[in-house]
Amino acid sequence: MSADFLQFLFSGITQGACYALVGLGFSIIYNASQVINFAQGEFVMIAGMAAVALIDAGAPFVLALAAGVALTVVVGVALEKFAIEPARNASVVTLIIITIGASIFLRGAAELLGGRGFRSMPAFSGNEPIVIGGAALLPQSLWVLGVTVVIIFALGRFFNSTMHGKAMLATAYNPVMAQLMGINTRLVLSLSFALAALLGGIAGVLIAPLSLTYSTVGVMLGLKGFCAAILGGLGKPMGAIAGGLLVGVSEAMTAGYLSSAYKDAVAFVIILVVLVVLPGGLFGGRSVERV
Amino acid sequence: MHARPSFRWLIAAFTIVALAASAVTASAAEPIRLGAFLAVTGKGAFLGDPEKKTLETYVEKVNGEGGVLGRKVELIVYDTGSEAKEALTFVKRLIEQDKVDAIIGGTSTGETMAVIREVEAAAVPFISLAGGAEIVEPVKKWVFKTPHTDRLAVEKLFTDMKARGLTKIGILSGPGGFDKSCRTNAMALAPAKGLAIVADETHGAGDTDMTPQLTRIKGAPGLQAFLYCGFGAPTSIVAKNVRQIGLGVPHYQTHGSASMSFIQGAEGAAEGVRLPAAALLVVDQLPADHPQKAVATAYRDAYTERYKEPISTFGGHAYDGLFIVLEAIKRAGGTDKAKVRDEIEKTNRFIGADGIFTMSPTDHLGLDTASFVMVEVKDGTWLLLN
């Protein structure tokens, strides 16, 4: 029984880490602009598809991964420059709708360029499962978890110890005041899209060996990542990580112990309950609405 | 005076030209008009695209050989973009504006079901290229179909399991229509075949890890075989997850996995997976005396020669649909819709890409489990099992 539990836990944590990486991207862009970027899942897809296409074309593995992530960052910045910035005076809802449009466009473009089939990316360190306490763990899961931990520390340093990071935090707290203090908030917006695309891209190449890659792979991952961000408290990076892990583990435990038919439902029920009890999310604190 | 004879000549010449032209238009005005509505783009494009290419290849070929009953075949294809509601619009246009003699199409079951009422009311022979059994059950007067049903696939699988002495089956199915239909059929057929379903798990859309469900299936008492009902990327993910947790029982999937992407996506984990497939999939391995050998080889060669891409078994549905209609028109001696319909229903031992069709007033598909072959993944490709 404990072997089963471990198996469910491995699955849940791996999935949760994927959701967390996507959720982080939501939080970072939300902080800089109050916009929910619904093209976040597409960042994941672009990196995976581009890397696989390059590997198939004969590019060295590591170079293909780096190029996939780099392309994603370029797309992220382009999205901000050509779709969000020209409409920066529009309401937040309009901007959110623009990101939905962008996500549909990116999926279509990926389908045209990369075909309609699905492809697999070779795992970083083979497919031989590691058996721990009777449960089998893929080396790729360790990559996902390890890189997630590295990213958490790197982000922590970035936000707390660098000027750009502090500028982003300041913009998140009070955009007008930040601007008055001489922070280039437009640069911060570009930077936030670049950073979100970078995280999405890294998630994309990490997940691709597990999830395979195809033009719509980002849809569900984006939705789950959004749930993770909401659950943890939008705009709270640590919240997105906790939220992602909670959604991932609860899904796996439901599928394992209750019934796989309720798997998705349970994740959403948890979100509902948390949001009713703590409207700001797990890490949101008790925010006071100013009237 | 001088001009008059030449004027007469002019009139004569004009008359001759006009007559000749009208003669040409008279024979050209009577082509056999076939309408098709296919999911050439959108999510069903991997089905609709080879179907369209197949129809175009063969209509061209038939016309090059003088057409049918001395008449050219004219093909009108509309792309539904995989939307059922578009399908109805295009079928109305085919019937009312294009006045087609027969309709081929409906790449998916949804697109097909959306147009059945219209087709029945207009009384036009209609051959669907979609999988769902509900298209022809109950039998509708004007509606026929060529692809195998999911039930035939499940029957074929269960026969193979039974022959290997595997009677306790665990099932995992996905969220799609195909997945659910496969699961429902498996549940319904198991008792009659003497099999027991000992585990019944599902996964959601876009899921990337099914190890929890597979762990549960692994723990089911007496498990002897595993069946995955699904389509697309999850087929490869399931194969990888099965290897990861070491399920340790024979692994079956359906004809939904019968594409090279399944094998490539699974990166070696597909080895040993068995599934039912159209003979077209293993055309080179068919024994020389296999009834479909010649048809399948000719189709494969014609398609790959023109499009320089590998065939998919889906294009075969369109091949069968086209020739069942054309053969029926030949036998009916014309395009009278009622006669053509009756002749389609009398299709007897038509050797197609999907199998050997024998239709009847109670069977508008005309295939049985013999139309499937069992294949196993071996060394990264398909191996035909006897």
Side-chain angles (χ1 to χ4, degrees), chain A residues 76-120:
Chain A
V77 173
L79 171 65
E80 193 275 333
K81 276 273 171 270
F82 300 117
I84 302 294
E85 212 177 285
R88 65 182 176 279
N89 294 326
S91 69
V92 168
V93 175
T94 311
L95 294 177
I96 292 175
I97 291 169
I98 288 175
T99 69
I100 295 176
S103 76
I104 295 169
F105 168 78
L106 291 173
R107 281 202 292 280
E111 197 180 301
L112 275 179
L113 295 172
R116 302 180 180 108
F118 60 93
R119 311 268 269 287
S120 182

Side-chain angles (χ1 to χ4, degrees), chain A residues 8-143:
Chain A
F8 302 148
L9 192 68
F10 288 160
S11 166
I13 291 178
T14 308
Q15 291 292 298
C18 299
Y19 301 158
L21 286 177
V22 180
L24 273 175
F26 277 105
S27 274
I28 288 167
I29 289 180
Y30 177 82
N31 268 347
S33 61
Q34 311 284 299
V35 169
I36 313 281
N37 170 34
F38 278 106
Q40 191 63 33
E42 274 56 49
F43 291 160
V44 177
M45 175 273 291
I46 290 168
M49 281 193 81
V52 169
L54 287 171
I55 291 168
D56 283 358
F61 190 70
V62 178
L63 201 68
L65 299 190
V69 175
L71 175 72
T72 313
V73 174
V74 171
V75 170
V77 173
L79 171 65
E80 193 275 333
K81 276 273 171 270
F82 300 117
I84 302 294
E85 212 177 285
R88 65 182 176 279
N89 294 326
S91 69
V92 168
V93 175
T94 311
L95 294 177
I96 292 175
I97 291 169
I98 288 175
T99 69
I100 295 176
S103 76
I104 295 169
F105 168 78
L106 291 173
R107 281 202 292 280
E111 197 180 301
L112 275 179
L113 295 172
R116 302 180 180 108
F118 60 93
R119 311 268 269 287
S120 182
M121 182 196 280
F124 295 6
S125 332
N127 285 311
E128 203 53 50
I130 304 158
V131 179
I132 302 168
L137 182 67
L138 286 180
Q140 191 65 28
S141 294
L142 293 178
W143 274 103

Side-chain angles (χ1 to χ4, degrees), chain A residues 4 7-8 10-12 15 19 111 116-123 127 129 136-138 141 207-212 214 217 220-221 224 251-252 254-261 263-264, chain B residues 40-43 45-46 49 172 200-213 215-216 218-219 231-237 240-241 243-246 259 261-262 264-267:
Chain A
D4 284 1
Q7 188 70 57
F8 302 148
F10 288 160
S11 166
Q15 291 292 298
Y19 301 158
E111 197 180 301
R116 302 180 180 108
F118 60 93
R119 311 268 269 287
S120 182
M121 182 196 280
N127 285 311
L137 182 67
L138 286 180
S141 294
I207 301 169
L210 300 172
S211 69
L212 308 197
Y214 44 99
V217 72
M220 260 333 245
L221 281 169
K224 297 277 174 65
E251 276 184 359
T254 311
Y257 287 120
L258 209 58
S259 157
S260 42
K263 183 178 65 94
D264 287 342
Chain B
V40 185
T41 58
K43 63 180 189 295
F46 66 104
D49 184 57
L172 173 65
D200 171 27
E201 298 291 331
T202 58
H203 70 81
D207 277 5
T208 55
D209 180 27
M210 289 71 159
T211 51
Q213 290 93 324
T215 304
R216 266 176 81 107
K218 191 181 179 185
F231 211 71
T235 56
S236 295
I237 297 176
K240 283 181 168 184
N241 289 167
R243 176 178 60 185
Q244 180 189 343
I245 68 159
S259 75
S261 340
F262 162 62
Q264 284 159 358
E267 293 184 289

Side-chain angles (χ1 to χ4, degrees), chain B residues 58-67 72:
Chain B
Y58 277 94
V59 165
E60 205 169 89
K61 208 171 159 71
V62 165
N63 284 334
E65 289 160 6
K72 294 278 177 206

Side-chain angles (χ1 to χ4, degrees), chain B residues 157-225:
Chain B
L157 282 167
F158 281 3
T159 309
D160 189 73
M161 291 177 186
K162 197 78 180 159
R164 294 168 85 186
L166 311 168
T167 56
K168 292 194 160 65
I169 319 296
I171 295 183
L172 173 65
S173 57
F178 173 84
D179 318 34
K180 285 184 177 150
S181 159
C182 165
R183 179 190 164 274
T184 313
N185 281 308
M187 292 293 172
L189 280 172
K193 286 269 176 183
L195 303 177
I197 307 295
V198 293
D200 171 27
E201 298 291 331
T202 58
H203 70 81
D207 277 5
T208 55
D209 180 27
M210 289 71 159
T211 51
Q213 290 93 324
L214 289 169
T215 304
R216 266 176 81 107
I217 291 172
K218 191 181 179 185
L223 181 78
Q224 287 174 322

Side-chain angles (χ1 to χ4, degrees), chain B residues 211-293:
Chain B
T211 51
Q213 290 93 324
L214 289 169
T215 304
R216 266 176 81 107
I217 291 172
K218 191 181 179 185
L223 181 78
Q224 287 174 322
F226 167 64
L227 167 62
Y228 175 62
C229 286
F231 211 71
T235 56
S236 295
I237 297 176
V238 165
K240 283 181 168 184
N241 289 167
V242 163
R243 176 178 60 185
Q244 180 189 343
I245 68 159
L247 192 61
V249 295
H251 180 176
Y252 287 84
Q253 297 208 4
T254 69
H255 52 314
S257 312
S259 75
M260 278 315 276
S261 340
F262 162 62
I263 298 180
Q264 284 159 358
E267 293 184 289
E271 289 295 305
V273 173
R274 285 191 178 192
L275 48 95
L280 205 49
L281 189 71
V282 284
V283 52
D284 286 327
Q285 296 173 44
L286 293 177
D289 60 347
H290 191 281
Q292 285 175 262
K293 176 87 174 178

